[in-house]
Structure formats: structure tokens, C-alpha cells
Amino acid sequence: MSDFTRASALLAQAGHIAVMTGAGVSAESGIPTFRGPGGLWRGRDPMTLAAPEAFAADPGLVWEFYNWRRALVARAVPNPAHIALVELARRVPRLTLITQNVDRLHQRAGSRDVLELHGNLAEVRCLGCGATEDRSGESLPPLPQCGTCGTLVRPAVVWFGESLPGDVWLAAESAVRTADLVLVVGTSAVVYPAAGLIATARRAGAAVIEVNLEPTPASGSVAIGLYGKAGEILPRLVTGASS
Ligand code: BV8
Ligand code: ZN
């Protein structure tokens, strides 16, 4: 039996699937990944752009980076990988979608109740009054201000050194602990604590399937690895799951 057939069978008989996605699921929508070829961190030190200290030192530079990414995301559309996960949620009794991505393409594809471990680019948070505003669809000025109190706002993403939103993290941990199958798609599995969810799932007895262009540090602990483009593998995997 091929790995593909085995993976399809596992999906078809799963009661609760937890899916964890990374930047690779949005790559075919034209959103650059972080660490692959053409990645955002190539030639850049993420700590100079995606960290609170960087923002404190030069908010204009950090906003230039995030405004550039917001414009990219605004022009992007969900790809067959995002759409296959919406379809999978329709076919299984329970699916929890956990993402490290901040582009909200899962939601634009139709996924609901997405657990955003690292926040999102749509919203901004005020450094003064703490208000969170959804500014999706807007192109923001170089130093955007809060609509309520006028203070400088920051992107509502989780930067390096910042803790993940507690409620989201607990929900994600609980999902991988109770799922019988965990599908890990398009992540290099190097950013913690998100990558730790894979080991948590294994310890709880879940089978893990990895979908990626290439093996990752997690590959040694997955039951099945399917290597290729998520936009090609997921639709075939999901339609096969109906049998
Ligand atoms: C925290 C939001 C402490 C902002 C991001 C040393 C060792 C271990 C850990 C650490 C360490 N030093 C510091 C740490 C902790 C640190 C960390 O993990 N660093 C790593 C890099 C070493 N983590 C943190 O700082 C976290 N916070 O630990 O706080 C704390 C604890 C308690 C209390 C208070 C504080 C916060 C981490 C979140 C950082 N924010 N992003 C923004 O987006 O700008 S992380 C960033 O990386 C993105 O969010 C992204 O989601 C995430 C993971 O990257 P991936 O999604 O995996 O993307 P990547 O490009 O890496 O890989 C893409 C994959 O897709 C590849 O495998 C590729 O092959 C594949 N692919 C490509 N195309 C396709 C494909 N697959 C299929 N189909 C395709 N077509
Ligand atoms: Zn404010």
C-alpha cells in the first residue's frame, strides 16, 4: 500500500483531525515563506524586524516590512491547499485548524475557528489604550495610529520573544492531545513552541502525517511523510478520504 493510500485511509477513518499549517500552505498563493528559497528571512535577521526590540528601535522600518507584507496578502488568494482543508472539515466528524500563518488565507478560503498561534496581519494593537482594530483591506500609513486614542499601533502578530496568546495556545495543545490524527502542512518545524505541538501529539498517541516539499526536523517522528506541493497533495488526499 503506498504512503498516499495509507494517509488517505487514516484521514477517512479519523474521528478528530488536528491540522497545523505553516507558511508552505500559502506559498502557492504567492506569499513568500520565511526560510525556504526566496524566504523572508533570507539575507535578513528576523530579530531586526519581527521582535519588540526592533519595533521600539525603529517602528518605521518594522511597519515598512509589515505594510509590504499586508499589501502582498491583500493581493493573494487562497490556493487549492487552503480549499482542500475547508473540504476536509466537511468530511470528518471534527477538525481543528491550527496555523502559524498570519495571512488569514485559511479564513478567506472558508475555514472557521482558525487557531492563529502567531496572530495576524489584519489587526493592529494600540500601544496606548491596548485596543485591537481590524484594519484588513486598508493600506496603512508609515506609522499608523489608533482610531480611539491616536497612539502608535503595532501589528497584531506574535514577535520573537513574545508569548503566544494563552487561550489560543491552550486550545491548540488540547486539540493535538485529543486528535487521533495530526496533519502537519508546510512548516519547517523550527519555531517553538508551535513546533512542539508535533511531539505533544505523538506523546498523546496521535498518528502524524507531514506534507512538505522536503523533510524537516519533525520528519523522524511522523508516521507518513508526503513530499511535494501542498496545493497538489492535499486536494488528492482529501478526495481520496471520501472513500
Ligand atoms: C517565545 C509572526 C518566549 C511574525 C513568527 C533557540 C532554540 C529554540 C527556540 C528558541 C531559541 N531561541 C529563541 C527561541 C524561541 C523562538 C524560536 O522558536 N526561535 C527559533 C526560530 C529558533 N520562539 C519565540 O520567540 C516564540 N515566543 O518563545 O516566547 C516566552 C515564553 C514564555 C513567556 C514569554 C515569552 C514566538 C515565535 C513566534 C514568532 N513569530 N511570526 C511575522 O510573521 O512576522 S514566527 C515565523 O516562523 C512565522 O510566524 C512562521 O509561521 C513561523 C514558522 O515558519 P514556517 O511557517 O514553518 O515557515 P518556514 O518558511 O520556516 O517554512 C516553510 C515550510 O514550507 C518549509 O518547510 C518548506 O519546505 C515548506 N514549503 C514551501 N512551499 C511549500 C511547502 N510545503 C508544501 N507545499 C509548498 N508549496
Ligand atoms: Zn489607542
Side-chain angles (χ1 to χ4, degrees), residues 209-233:
I209 297 173
E210 175 177 55
V211 175
N212 198 304
L213 287 181
E214 59 190 12
T216 71
S219 303
S221 63
V222 304
I224 302 173
L226 301 174
Y227 298 108
K229 289 186 173 182
E232 290 165 10
I233 291 176

PDB file of all heavy atoms in Angstrom, residues 209-233:
ATOM      1  N   ILE A 209       0.923  12.949  10.099  1.00  0.00           N
ATOM      2  CA  ILE A 209       1.262  12.939   8.672  1.00  0.00           C
ATOM      3  C   ILE A 209       1.875  14.294   8.344  1.00  0.00           C
ATOM      4  O   ILE A 209       1.330  15.333   8.723  1.00  0.00           O
ATOM      5  CB  ILE A 209      -0.004  12.729   7.803  1.00  0.00           C
ATOM      6  CG1 ILE A 209      -0.640  11.360   8.072  1.00  0.00           C
ATOM      7  CG2 ILE A 209       0.321  12.891   6.317  1.00  0.00           C
ATOM      8  CD1 ILE A 209      -1.982  11.151   7.364  1.00  0.00           C
ATOM      9  N   GLU A 210       3.018  14.275   7.669  1.00  0.00           N
ATOM     10  CA  GLU A 210       3.680  15.536   7.297  1.00  0.00           C
ATOM     11  C   GLU A 210       3.529  15.734   5.791  1.00  0.00           C
ATOM     12  O   GLU A 210       3.790  14.794   5.019  1.00  0.00           O
ATOM     13  CB  GLU A 210       5.169  15.491   7.664  1.00  0.00           C
ATOM     14  CG  GLU A 210       5.963  16.712   7.192  1.00  0.00           C
ATOM     15  CD  GLU A 210       7.429  16.678   7.635  1.00  0.00           C
ATOM     16  OE1 GLU A 210       8.128  15.690   7.345  1.00  0.00           O
ATOM     17  OE2 GLU A 210       7.847  17.627   8.321  1.00  0.00           O
ATOM     18  N   VAL A 211       3.107  16.946   5.394  1.00  0.00           N
ATOM     19  CA  VAL A 211       3.059  17.307   3.968  1.00  0.00           C
ATOM     20  C   VAL A 211       3.994  18.499   3.785  1.00  0.00           C
ATOM     21  O   VAL A 211       3.824  19.548   4.424  1.00  0.00           O
ATOM     22  CB  VAL A 211       1.634  17.692   3.541  1.00  0.00           C
ATOM     23  CG1 VAL A 211       1.604  18.187   2.090  1.00  0.00           C
ATOM     24  CG2 VAL A 211       0.684  16.498   3.708  1.00  0.00           C
ATOM     25  N   ASN A 212       5.033  18.319   2.972  1.00  0.00           N
ATOM     26  CA  ASN A 212       6.027  19.378   2.814  1.00  0.00           C
ATOM     27  C   ASN A 212       6.765  19.127   1.499  1.00  0.00           C
ATOM     28  O   ASN A 212       6.697  18.046   0.936  1.00  0.00           O
ATOM     29  CB  ASN A 212       7.016  19.322   4.000  1.00  0.00           C
ATOM     30  CG  ASN A 212       7.790  20.613   4.159  1.00  0.00           C
ATOM     31  OD1 ASN A 212       8.444  21.060   3.220  1.00  0.00           O
ATOM     32  ND2 ASN A 212       7.711  21.225   5.329  1.00  0.00           N
ATOM     33  N   LEU A 213       7.484  20.177   1.051  1.00  0.00           N
ATOM     34  CA  LEU A 213       8.300  19.972  -0.160  1.00  0.00           C
ATOM     35  C   LEU A 213       9.444  19.015   0.137  1.00  0.00           C
ATOM     36  O   LEU A 213       9.944  18.315  -0.740  1.00  0.00           O
ATOM     37  CB  LEU A 213       8.902  21.308  -0.637  1.00  0.00           C
ATOM     38  CG  LEU A 213       7.975  22.323  -1.294  1.00  0.00           C
ATOM     39  CD1 LEU A 213       8.788  23.544  -1.712  1.00  0.00           C
ATOM     40  CD2 LEU A 213       7.236  21.737  -2.472  1.00  0.00           C
ATOM     41  N   GLU A 214       9.877  19.052   1.413  1.00  0.00           N
ATOM     42  CA  GLU A 214      11.089  18.289   1.776  1.00  0.00           C
ATOM     43  C   GLU A 214      11.011  17.878   3.244  1.00  0.00           C
ATOM     44  O   GLU A 214      10.214  18.416   4.002  1.00  0.00           O
ATOM     45  CB  GLU A 214      12.326  19.181   1.571  1.00  0.00           C
ATOM     46  CG  GLU A 214      12.259  20.459   2.411  1.00  0.00           C
ATOM     47  CD  GLU A 214      13.341  21.470   2.052  1.00  0.00           C
ATOM     48  OE1 GLU A 214      14.013  21.295   1.019  1.00  0.00           O
ATOM     49  OE2 GLU A 214      13.478  22.437   2.813  1.00  0.00           O
ATOM     50  N   PRO A 215      11.819  16.918   3.659  1.00  0.00           N
ATOM     51  CA  PRO A 215      11.805  16.515   5.068  1.00  0.00           C
ATOM     52  C   PRO A 215      12.186  17.688   5.975  1.00  0.00           C
ATOM     53  O   PRO A 215      12.840  18.649   5.561  1.00  0.00           O
ATOM     54  CB  PRO A 215      12.868  15.409   5.125  1.00  0.00           C
ATOM     55  CG  PRO A 215      13.003  14.908   3.719  1.00  0.00           C
ATOM     56  CD  PRO A 215      12.736  16.103   2.836  1.00  0.00           C
ATOM     57  N   THR A 216      11.732  17.614   7.228  1.00  0.00           N
ATOM     58  CA  THR A 216      12.022  18.659   8.222  1.00  0.00           C
ATOM     59  C   THR A 216      12.537  17.978   9.494  1.00  0.00           C
ATOM     60  O   THR A 216      12.545  16.754   9.565  1.00  0.00           O
ATOM     61  CB  THR A 216      10.709  19.399   8.573  1.00  0.00           C
ATOM     62  OG1 THR A 216       9.900  18.475   9.341  1.00  0.00           O
ATOM     63  CG2 THR A 216       9.954  19.846   7.331  1.00  0.00           C
ATOM     64  N   PRO A 217      12.901  18.766  10.518  1.00  0.00           N
ATOM     65  CA  PRO A 217      13.310  18.133  11.786  1.00  0.00           C
ATOM     66  C   PRO A 217      12.203  17.275  12.404  1.00  0.00           C
ATOM     67  O   PRO A 217      12.477  16.435  13.246  1.00  0.00           O
ATOM     68  CB  PRO A 217      13.642  19.338  12.676  1.00  0.00           C
ATOM     69  CG  PRO A 217      13.992  20.434  11.743  1.00  0.00           C
ATOM     70  CD  PRO A 217      13.156  20.206  10.510  1.00  0.00           C
ATOM     71  N   ALA A 218      10.990  17.463  11.966  1.00  0.00           N
ATOM     72  CA  ALA A 218       9.885  16.654  12.523  1.00  0.00           C
ATOM     73  C   ALA A 218       9.748  15.318  11.793  1.00  0.00           C
ATOM     74  O   ALA A 218       9.080  14.400  12.265  1.00  0.00           O
ATOM     75  CB  ALA A 218       8.575  17.436  12.417  1.00  0.00           C
ATOM     76  N   SER A 219      10.369  15.199  10.630  1.00  0.00           N
ATOM     77  CA  SER A 219      10.114  14.020   9.782  1.00  0.00           C
ATOM     78  C   SER A 219      10.412  12.697  10.481  1.00  0.00           C
ATOM     79  O   SER A 219       9.736  11.693  10.223  1.00  0.00           O
ATOM     80  CB  SER A 219      10.937  14.125   8.492  1.00  0.00           C
ATOM     81  OG  SER A 219      10.601  15.330   7.826  1.00  0.00           O
ATOM     82  N   GLY A 220      11.374  12.725  11.401  1.00  0.00           N
ATOM     83  CA  GLY A 220      11.739  11.472  12.078  1.00  0.00           C
ATOM     84  C   GLY A 220      10.624  10.948  12.967  1.00  0.00           C
ATOM     85  O   GLY A 220      10.603   9.770  13.312  1.00  0.00           O
ATOM     86  N   SER A 221       9.670  11.837  13.319  1.00  0.00           N
ATOM     87  CA  SER A 221       8.659  11.364  14.265  1.00  0.00           C
ATOM     88  C   SER A 221       7.264  11.295  13.638  1.00  0.00           C
ATOM     89  O   SER A 221       6.266  11.216  14.343  1.00  0.00           O
ATOM     90  CB  SER A 221       8.614  12.305  15.481  1.00  0.00           C
ATOM     91  OG  SER A 221       8.228  13.591  15.048  1.00  0.00           O
ATOM     92  N   VAL A 222       7.207  11.355  12.300  1.00  0.00           N
ATOM     93  CA  VAL A 222       5.873  11.283  11.698  1.00  0.00           C
ATOM     94  C   VAL A 222       5.635   9.871  11.170  1.00  0.00           C
ATOM     95  O   VAL A 222       6.587   9.154  10.798  1.00  0.00           O
ATOM     96  CB  VAL A 222       5.688  12.337  10.579  1.00  0.00           C
ATOM     97  CG1 VAL A 222       5.958  13.737  11.091  1.00  0.00           C
ATOM     98  CG2 VAL A 222       6.541  12.021   9.363  1.00  0.00           C
ATOM     99  N   ALA A 223       4.368   9.479  11.101  1.00  0.00           N
ATOM    100  CA  ALA A 223       4.027   8.134  10.615  1.00  0.00           C
ATOM    101  C   ALA A 223       4.181   8.078   9.106  1.00  0.00           C
ATOM    102  O   ALA A 223       4.690   7.110   8.535  1.00  0.00           O
ATOM    103  CB  ALA A 223       2.590   7.821  11.010  1.00  0.00           C
ATOM    104  N   ILE A 224       3.760   9.150   8.450  1.00  0.00           N
ATOM    105  CA  ILE A 224       3.824   9.198   6.977  1.00  0.00           C
ATOM    106  C   ILE A 224       4.287  10.590   6.537  1.00  0.00           C
ATOM    107  O   ILE A 224       3.793  11.600   7.058  1.00  0.00           O
ATOM    108  CB  ILE A 224       2.432   8.918   6.351  1.00  0.00           C
ATOM    109  CG1 ILE A 224       1.901   7.544   6.793  1.00  0.00           C
ATOM    110  CG2 ILE A 224       2.491   9.007   4.828  1.00  0.00           C
ATOM    111  CD1 ILE A 224       0.465   7.289   6.357  1.00  0.00           C
ATOM    112  N   GLY A 225       5.190  10.628   5.601  1.00  0.00           N
ATOM    113  CA  GLY A 225       5.647  11.906   5.032  1.00  0.00           C
ATOM    114  C   GLY A 225       5.274  11.916   3.559  1.00  0.00           C
ATOM    115  O   GLY A 225       5.592  10.988   2.826  1.00  0.00           O
ATOM    116  N   LEU A 226       4.545  12.953   3.134  1.00  0.00           N
ATOM    117  CA  LEU A 226       4.173  13.079   1.719  1.00  0.00           C
ATOM    118  C   LEU A 226       4.883  14.335   1.206  1.00  0.00           C
ATOM    119  O   LEU A 226       4.631  15.438   1.705  1.00  0.00           O
ATOM    120  CB  LEU A 226       2.657  13.217   1.576  1.00  0.00           C
ATOM    121  CG  LEU A 226       1.831  12.034   2.157  1.00  0.00           C
ATOM    122  CD1 LEU A 226       0.339  12.354   2.077  1.00  0.00           C
ATOM    123  CD2 LEU A 226       2.153  10.734   1.420  1.00  0.00           C
ATOM    124  N   TYR A 227       5.796  14.144   0.248  1.00  0.00           N
ATOM    125  CA  TYR A 227       6.634  15.274  -0.163  1.00  0.00           C
ATOM    126  C   TYR A 227       6.290  15.745  -1.568  1.00  0.00           C
ATOM    127  O   TYR A 227       6.294  14.982  -2.522  1.00  0.00           O
ATOM    128  CB  TYR A 227       8.099  14.887  -0.001  1.00  0.00           C
ATOM    129  CG  TYR A 227       8.357  14.591   1.467  1.00  0.00           C
ATOM    130  CD1 TYR A 227       8.574  13.297   1.933  1.00  0.00           C
ATOM    131  CD2 TYR A 227       8.245  15.612   2.416  1.00  0.00           C
ATOM    132  CE1 TYR A 227       8.722  13.032   3.288  1.00  0.00           C
ATOM    133  CE2 TYR A 227       8.397  15.354   3.776  1.00  0.00           C
ATOM    134  CZ  TYR A 227       8.626  14.070   4.204  1.00  0.00           C
ATOM    135  OH  TYR A 227       8.744  13.799   5.552  1.00  0.00           O
ATOM    136  N   GLY A 228       5.957  17.020  -1.613  1.00  0.00           N
ATOM    137  CA  GLY A 228       5.535  17.662  -2.851  1.00  0.00           C
ATOM    138  C   GLY A 228       4.789  18.931  -2.473  1.00  0.00           C
ATOM    139  O   GLY A 228       4.810  19.360  -1.316  1.00  0.00           O
ATOM    140  N   LYS A 229       4.120  19.535  -3.441  1.00  0.00           N
ATOM    141  CA  LYS A 229       3.410  20.788  -3.163  1.00  0.00           C
ATOM    142  C   LYS A 229       2.097  20.525  -2.435  1.00  0.00           C
ATOM    143  O   LYS A 229       1.309  19.662  -2.848  1.00  0.00           O
ATOM    144  CB  LYS A 229       3.123  21.520  -4.483  1.00  0.00           C
ATOM    145  CG  LYS A 229       4.364  22.105  -5.149  1.00  0.00           C
ATOM    146  CD  LYS A 229       3.964  22.919  -6.368  1.00  0.00           C
ATOM    147  CE  LYS A 229       5.171  23.662  -6.945  1.00  0.00           C
ATOM    148  NZ  LYS A 229       4.769  24.503  -8.106  1.00  0.00           N
ATOM    149  N   ALA A 230       1.855  21.302  -1.394  1.00  0.00           N
ATOM    150  CA  ALA A 230       0.609  21.123  -0.621  1.00  0.00           C
ATOM    151  C   ALA A 230      -0.611  21.324  -1.511  1.00  0.00           C
ATOM    152  O   ALA A 230      -1.622  20.628  -1.374  1.00  0.00           O
ATOM    153  CB  ALA A 230       0.588  22.110   0.538  1.00  0.00           C
ATOM    154  N   GLY A 231      -0.500  22.263  -2.453  1.00  0.00           N
ATOM    155  CA  GLY A 231      -1.634  22.574  -3.343  1.00  0.00           C
ATOM    156  C   GLY A 231      -1.970  21.419  -4.280  1.00  0.00           C
ATOM    157  O   GLY A 231      -3.041  21.377  -4.868  1.00  0.00           O
ATOM    158  N   GLU A 232      -1.037  20.483  -4.410  1.00  0.00           N
ATOM    159  CA  GLU A 232      -1.292  19.300  -5.254  1.00  0.00           C
ATOM    160  C   GLU A 232      -1.633  18.082  -4.386  1.00  0.00           C
ATOM    161  O   GLU A 232      -2.530  17.306  -4.703  1.00  0.00           O
ATOM    162  CB  GLU A 232      -0.067  19.004  -6.126  1.00  0.00           C
ATOM    163  CG  GLU A 232       0.125  20.079  -7.210  1.00  0.00           C
ATOM    164  CD  GLU A 232       1.510  20.015  -7.856  1.00  0.00           C
ATOM    165  OE1 GLU A 232       2.241  19.040  -7.609  1.00  0.00           O
ATOM    166  OE2 GLU A 232       1.850  20.977  -8.570  1.00  0.00           O
ATOM    167  N   ILE A 233      -0.927  17.942  -3.269  1.00  0.00           N
ATOM    168  CA  ILE A 233      -1.120  16.753  -2.410  1.00  0.00           C
ATOM    169  C   ILE A 233      -2.448  16.809  -1.657  1.00  0.00           C
ATOM    170  O   ILE A 233      -3.217  15.842  -1.644  1.00  0.00           O
ATOM    171  CB  ILE A 233       0.067  16.624  -1.427  1.00  0.00           C
ATOM    172  CG1 ILE A 233       1.345  16.252  -2.192  1.00  0.00           C
ATOM    173  CG2 ILE A 233      -0.246  15.615  -0.333  1.00  0.00           C
ATOM    174  CD1 ILE A 233       2.594  16.199  -1.350  1.00  0.00           C
TER     175      ILE A 233
END
